[in-house]
mmCIF file of all heavy atoms in Angstrom:
data_model
loop_
_atom_site.group_PDB
_atom_site.id
_atom_site.type_symbol
_atom_site.label_atom_id
_atom_site.label_comp_id
_atom_site.label_asym_id
_atom_site.label_seq_id
_atom_site.Cartn_x
_atom_site.Cartn_y
_atom_site.Cartn_z
ATOM 1 N N TRP A 179 -3.209 -5.854 -4.523
ATOM 2 C CA TRP A 179 -3.312 -6.899 -5.556
ATOM 3 C C TRP A 179 -4.194 -8.039 -5.053
ATOM 4 O O TRP A 179 -5.075 -8.523 -5.778
ATOM 5 C CB TRP A 179 -1.909 -7.408 -5.893
ATOM 6 C CG TRP A 179 -1.877 -8.462 -6.951
ATOM 7 C CD1 TRP A 179 -1.919 -8.273 -8.307
ATOM 8 C CD2 TRP A 179 -1.802 -9.884 -6.754
ATOM 9 N NE1 TRP A 179 -1.877 -9.482 -8.965
ATOM 10 C CE2 TRP A 179 -1.806 -10.493 -8.035
ATOM 11 C CE3 TRP A 179 -1.738 -10.702 -5.627
ATOM 12 C CZ2 TRP A 179 -1.737 -11.867 -8.218
ATOM 13 C CZ3 TRP A 179 -1.664 -12.066 -5.802
ATOM 14 C CH2 TRP A 179 -1.661 -12.647 -7.074
ATOM 15 N N TRP A 180 -3.974 -8.463 -3.804
ATOM 16 C CA TRP A 180 -4.810 -9.520 -3.225
ATOM 17 C C TRP A 180 -6.264 -9.068 -3.100
ATOM 18 O O TRP A 180 -7.196 -9.831 -3.367
ATOM 19 C CB TRP A 180 -4.268 -9.925 -1.858
ATOM 20 C CG TRP A 180 -3.089 -10.848 -1.932
ATOM 21 C CD1 TRP A 180 -1.777 -10.532 -1.717
ATOM 22 C CD2 TRP A 180 -3.107 -12.237 -2.275
ATOM 23 N NE1 TRP A 180 -0.975 -11.631 -1.897
ATOM 24 C CE2 TRP A 180 -1.777 -12.704 -2.243
ATOM 25 C CE3 TRP A 180 -4.121 -13.128 -2.610
ATOM 26 C CZ2 TRP A 180 -1.422 -14.011 -2.520
ATOM 27 C CZ3 TRP A 180 -3.777 -14.457 -2.883
ATOM 28 C CH2 TRP A 180 -2.445 -14.881 -2.834
ATOM 29 N N LEU A 181 -6.448 -7.822 -2.707
ATOM 30 C CA LEU A 181 -7.811 -7.310 -2.594
ATOM 31 C C LEU A 181 -8.497 -7.307 -3.952
ATOM 32 O O LEU A 181 -9.704 -7.549 -4.050
ATOM 33 C CB LEU A 181 -7.799 -5.893 -2.016
ATOM 34 C CG LEU A 181 -7.240 -5.725 -0.603
ATOM 35 C CD1 LEU A 181 -7.443 -4.305 -0.117
ATOM 36 C CD2 LEU A 181 -7.899 -6.696 0.365
ATOM 37 N N SER A 182 -7.733 -7.033 -4.999
ATOM 38 C CA SER A 182 -8.301 -7.078 -6.351
ATOM 39 C C SER A 182 -8.838 -8.481 -6.657
ATOM 40 O O SER A 182 -9.901 -8.626 -7.274
ATOM 41 C CB SER A 182 -7.241 -6.692 -7.386
ATOM 42 O OG SER A 182 -6.779 -5.384 -7.180
ATOM 43 N N LEU A 183 -8.106 -9.503 -6.220
ATOM 44 C CA LEU A 183 -8.570 -10.878 -6.439
ATOM 45 C C LEU A 183 -9.847 -11.153 -5.660
ATOM 46 O O LEU A 183 -10.786 -11.780 -6.172
ATOM 47 C CB LEU A 183 -7.481 -11.870 -6.030
ATOM 48 C CG LEU A 183 -6.215 -11.903 -6.880
ATOM 49 C CD1 LEU A 183 -5.251 -12.967 -6.356
ATOM 50 C CD2 LEU A 183 -6.547 -12.183 -8.348
ATOM 51 N N PHE A 184 -9.908 -10.685 -4.397
ATOM 52 C CA PHE A 184 -11.114 -10.869 -3.592
ATOM 53 C C PHE A 184 -12.321 -10.220 -4.267
ATOM 54 O O PHE A 184 -13.404 -10.806 -4.353
ATOM 55 C CB PHE A 184 -10.933 -10.256 -2.194
ATOM 56 C CG PHE A 184 -9.915 -10.949 -1.340
ATOM 57 C CD1 PHE A 184 -9.290 -10.267 -0.298
ATOM 58 C CD2 PHE A 184 -9.571 -12.272 -1.560
ATOM 59 C CE1 PHE A 184 -8.351 -10.898 0.503
ATOM 60 C CE2 PHE A 184 -8.633 -12.908 -0.772
ATOM 61 C CZ PHE A 184 -8.022 -12.229 0.255
ATOM 62 N N VAL A 185 -12.120 -8.992 -4.723
ATOM 63 C CA VAL A 185 -13.216 -8.266 -5.376
ATOM 64 C C VAL A 185 -13.623 -8.968 -6.661
ATOM 65 O O VAL A 185 -14.813 -9.080 -6.973
ATOM 66 C CB VAL A 185 -12.804 -6.807 -5.663
ATOM 67 C CG1 VAL A 185 -13.897 -6.078 -6.437
ATOM 68 C CG2 VAL A 185 -12.518 -6.072 -4.369
ATOM 69 N N LEU A 186 -12.642 -9.456 -7.414
ATOM 70 C CA LEU A 186 -12.940 -10.149 -8.661
ATOM 71 C C LEU A 186 -13.817 -11.363 -8.405
ATOM 72 O O LEU A 186 -14.780 -11.620 -9.145
ATOM 73 C CB LEU A 186 -11.635 -10.567 -9.346
ATOM 74 C CG LEU A 186 -11.767 -11.246 -10.713
ATOM 75 C CD1 LEU A 186 -12.400 -10.300 -11.729
ATOM 76 C CD2 LEU A 186 -10.397 -11.716 -11.211
ATOM 77 N N VAL A 187 -13.505 -12.105 -7.349
ATOM 78 C CA VAL A 187 -14.312 -13.286 -7.009
ATOM 79 C C VAL A 187 -15.722 -12.879 -6.593
ATOM 80 O O VAL A 187 -16.723 -13.410 -7.092
ATOM 81 C CB VAL A 187 -13.641 -14.102 -5.888
ATOM 82 C CG1 VAL A 187 -14.571 -15.199 -5.384
ATOM 83 C CG2 VAL A 187 -12.335 -14.718 -6.389
ATOM 84 N N GLY A 188 -15.824 -11.918 -5.664
ATOM 85 C CA GLY A 188 -17.133 -11.524 -5.163
ATOM 86 C C GLY A 188 -18.022 -10.907 -6.221
ATOM 87 O O GLY A 188 -19.171 -11.319 -6.418
ATOM 88 N N VAL A 189 -17.479 -9.919 -6.923
ATOM 89 C CA VAL A 189 -18.260 -9.249 -7.966
ATOM 90 C C VAL A 189 -18.516 -10.188 -9.136
ATOM 91 O O VAL A 189 -19.592 -10.181 -9.742
ATOM 92 C CB VAL A 189 -17.520 -7.975 -8.443
ATOM 93 C CG1 VAL A 189 -18.252 -7.315 -9.604
ATOM 94 C CG2 VAL A 189 -17.381 -6.989 -7.289
ATOM 95 N N GLY A 190 -17.525 -11.042 -9.428
ATOM 96 C CA GLY A 190 -17.686 -11.997 -10.536
ATOM 97 C C GLY A 190 -18.768 -13.022 -10.262
ATOM 98 O O GLY A 190 -19.573 -13.349 -11.147
ATOM 99 N N LEU A 191 -18.821 -13.566 -9.034
ATOM 100 C CA LEU A 191 -19.863 -14.532 -8.684
ATOM 101 C C LEU A 191 -21.254 -13.906 -8.726
ATOM 102 O O LEU A 191 -22.227 -14.538 -9.159
ATOM 103 C CB LEU A 191 -19.595 -15.119 -7.297
ATOM 104 C CG LEU A 191 -18.421 -16.088 -7.175
ATOM 105 C CD1 LEU A 191 -18.204 -16.482 -5.724
ATOM 106 C CD2 LEU A 191 -18.664 -17.330 -8.037
ATOM 107 N N ASN A 192 -21.332 -12.664 -8.294
ATOM 108 C CA ASN A 192 -22.620 -11.967 -8.352
ATOM 109 C C ASN A 192 -23.062 -11.760 -9.789
ATOM 110 O O ASN A 192 -24.237 -11.949 -10.133
ATOM 111 C CB ASN A 192 -22.517 -10.617 -7.636
ATOM 112 C CG ASN A 192 -23.837 -9.883 -7.589
ATOM 113 O OD1 ASN A 192 -24.886 -10.483 -7.391
ATOM 114 N ND2 ASN A 192 -23.793 -8.580 -7.773
ATOM 115 N N ALA A 193 -22.105 -11.386 -10.659
ATOM 116 C CA ALA A 193 -22.435 -11.153 -12.068
ATOM 117 C C ALA A 193 -22.758 -12.447 -12.796
ATOM 118 O O ALA A 193 -23.673 -12.501 -13.625
ATOM 119 C CB ALA A 193 -21.272 -10.438 -12.747
ATOM 120 N N ALA A 194 -22.043 -13.523 -12.469
ATOM 121 C CA ALA A 194 -22.219 -14.779 -13.212
ATOM 122 C C ALA A 194 -23.408 -15.590 -12.721
ATOM 123 O O ALA A 194 -24.143 -16.190 -13.531
ATOM 124 C CB ALA A 194 -20.944 -15.621 -13.120
ATOM 125 N N PHE A 195 -23.622 -15.635 -11.404
ATOM 126 C CA PHE A 195 -24.646 -16.524 -10.849
ATOM 127 C C PHE A 195 -25.723 -15.807 -10.034
ATOM 128 O O PHE A 195 -26.637 -16.452 -9.519
ATOM 129 C CB PHE A 195 -23.989 -17.588 -9.956
ATOM 130 C CG PHE A 195 -22.917 -18.382 -10.655
ATOM 131 C CD1 PHE A 195 -21.582 -18.188 -10.354
ATOM 132 C CD2 PHE A 195 -23.249 -19.324 -11.631
ATOM 133 C CE1 PHE A 195 -20.595 -18.910 -10.999
ATOM 134 C CE2 PHE A 195 -22.269 -20.050 -12.275
ATOM 135 C CZ PHE A 195 -20.930 -19.847 -11.969
ATOM 136 N N GLY A 196 -25.591 -14.497 -9.899
ATOM 137 C CA GLY A 196 -26.570 -13.766 -9.102
ATOM 138 C C GLY A 196 -26.430 -14.018 -7.613
ATOM 139 O O GLY A 196 -27.385 -13.808 -6.865
ATOM 140 N N TRP A 197 -25.263 -14.437 -7.155
ATOM 141 C CA TRP A 197 -25.030 -14.676 -5.731
ATOM 142 C C TRP A 197 -24.740 -13.336 -5.055
ATOM 143 O O TRP A 197 -23.589 -12.963 -4.830
ATOM 144 C CB TRP A 197 -23.862 -15.632 -5.538
ATOM 145 C CG TRP A 197 -24.137 -17.019 -6.063
ATOM 146 C CD1 TRP A 197 -25.310 -17.498 -6.571
ATOM 147 C CD2 TRP A 197 -23.203 -18.108 -6.131
ATOM 148 N NE1 TRP A 197 -25.188 -18.804 -6.949
ATOM 149 C CE2 TRP A 197 -23.900 -19.216 -6.690
ATOM 150 C CE3 TRP A 197 -21.866 -18.267 -5.776
ATOM 151 C CZ2 TRP A 197 -23.282 -20.448 -6.913
ATOM 152 C CZ3 TRP A 197 -21.246 -19.490 -5.996
ATOM 153 C CH2 TRP A 197 -21.958 -20.561 -6.542
ATOM 154 N N TRP A 198 -25.778 -12.615 -4.677
ATOM 155 C CA TRP A 198 -25.621 -11.263 -4.131
ATOM 156 C C TRP A 198 -24.764 -11.235 -2.865
ATOM 157 O O TRP A 198 -24.030 -10.283 -2.619
ATOM 158 C CB TRP A 198 -26.998 -10.660 -3.830
ATOM 159 C CG TRP A 198 -27.725 -11.370 -2.719
ATOM 160 C CD1 TRP A 198 -28.580 -12.429 -2.835
ATOM 161 C CD2 TRP A 198 -27.618 -11.073 -1.328
ATOM 162 N NE1 TRP A 198 -29.023 -12.816 -1.604
ATOM 163 C CE2 TRP A 198 -28.460 -12.004 -0.650
ATOM 164 C CE3 TRP A 198 -26.927 -10.126 -0.563
ATOM 165 C CZ2 TRP A 198 -28.612 -12.003 0.739
ATOM 166 C CZ3 TRP A 198 -27.067 -10.127 0.812
ATOM 167 C CH2 TRP A 198 -27.906 -11.053 1.455
ATOM 168 N N TRP A 199 -24.854 -12.314 -2.074
ATOM 169 C CA TRP A 199 -24.130 -12.346 -0.805
ATOM 170 C C TRP A 199 -22.613 -12.465 -1.004
ATOM 171 O O TRP A 199 -21.826 -12.194 -0.083
ATOM 172 C CB TRP A 199 -24.618 -13.511 0.055
ATOM 173 C CG TRP A 199 -24.705 -14.810 -0.710
ATOM 174 C CD1 TRP A 199 -25.798 -15.335 -1.316
ATOM 175 C CD2 TRP A 199 -23.621 -15.724 -0.977
ATOM 176 N NE1 TRP A 199 -25.491 -16.526 -1.934
ATOM 177 C CE2 TRP A 199 -24.162 -16.781 -1.731
ATOM 178 C CE3 TRP A 199 -22.264 -15.744 -0.627
ATOM 179 C CZ2 TRP A 199 -23.382 -17.848 -2.173
ATOM 180 C CZ3 TRP A 199 -21.483 -16.804 -1.070
ATOM 181 C CH2 TRP A 199 -22.049 -17.848 -1.824
ATOM 182 N N ALA A 200 -22.181 -12.896 -2.200
ATOM 183 C CA ALA A 200 -20.748 -13.049 -2.457
ATOM 184 C C ALA A 200 -20.032 -11.703 -2.386
ATOM 185 O O ALA A 200 -18.855 -11.629 -2.001
ATOM 186 C CB ALA A 200 -20.515 -13.697 -3.823
ATOM 187 N N ASP A 201 -20.746 -10.636 -2.748
ATOM 188 C CA ASP A 201 -20.137 -9.305 -2.729
ATOM 189 C C ASP A 201 -19.805 -8.859 -1.307
ATOM 190 O O ASP A 201 -18.640 -8.545 -1.014
ATOM 191 C CB ASP A 201 -21.084 -8.315 -3.420
ATOM 192 C CG ASP A 201 -20.464 -6.933 -3.573
ATOM 193 O OD1 ASP A 201 -20.424 -6.168 -2.586
ATOM 194 O OD2 ASP A 201 -20.021 -6.622 -4.686
ATOM 195 N N PRO A 202 -20.761 -8.816 -0.364
ATOM 196 C CA PRO A 202 -20.394 -8.416 1.007
ATOM 197 C C PRO A 202 -19.471 -9.417 1.704
ATOM 198 O O PRO A 202 -18.675 -9.027 2.561
ATOM 199 C CB PRO A 202 -21.748 -8.307 1.717
ATOM 200 C CG PRO A 202 -22.698 -9.088 0.901
ATOM 201 C CD PRO A 202 -22.214 -8.966 -0.510
ATOM 202 N N VAL A 203 -19.578 -10.708 1.350
ATOM 203 C CA VAL A 203 -18.654 -11.687 1.941
ATOM 204 C C VAL A 203 -17.222 -11.402 1.480
ATOM 205 O O VAL A 203 -16.273 -11.471 2.274
ATOM 206 C CB VAL A 203 -19.079 -13.125 1.574
ATOM 207 C CG1 VAL A 203 -17.968 -14.115 1.906
ATOM 208 C CG2 VAL A 203 -20.357 -13.507 2.312
ATOM 209 N N ALA A 204 -17.074 -11.073 0.194
ATOM 210 C CA ALA A 204 -15.748 -10.688 -0.304
ATOM 211 C C ALA A 204 -15.246 -9.446 0.412
ATOM 212 O O ALA A 204 -14.057 -9.327 0.732
ATOM 213 C CB ALA A 204 -15.802 -10.443 -1.810
#
Side-chain angles (χ1 to χ4, degrees):
W179 181 82
W180 281 104
L181 298 187
S182 299
L183 292 181
F184 293 156
V185 176
L186 183 63
V187 171
V189 175
L191 288 175
N192 183 39
F195 305 108
W197 294 355
W198 67 270
W199 47 265
D201 186 282
V203 167

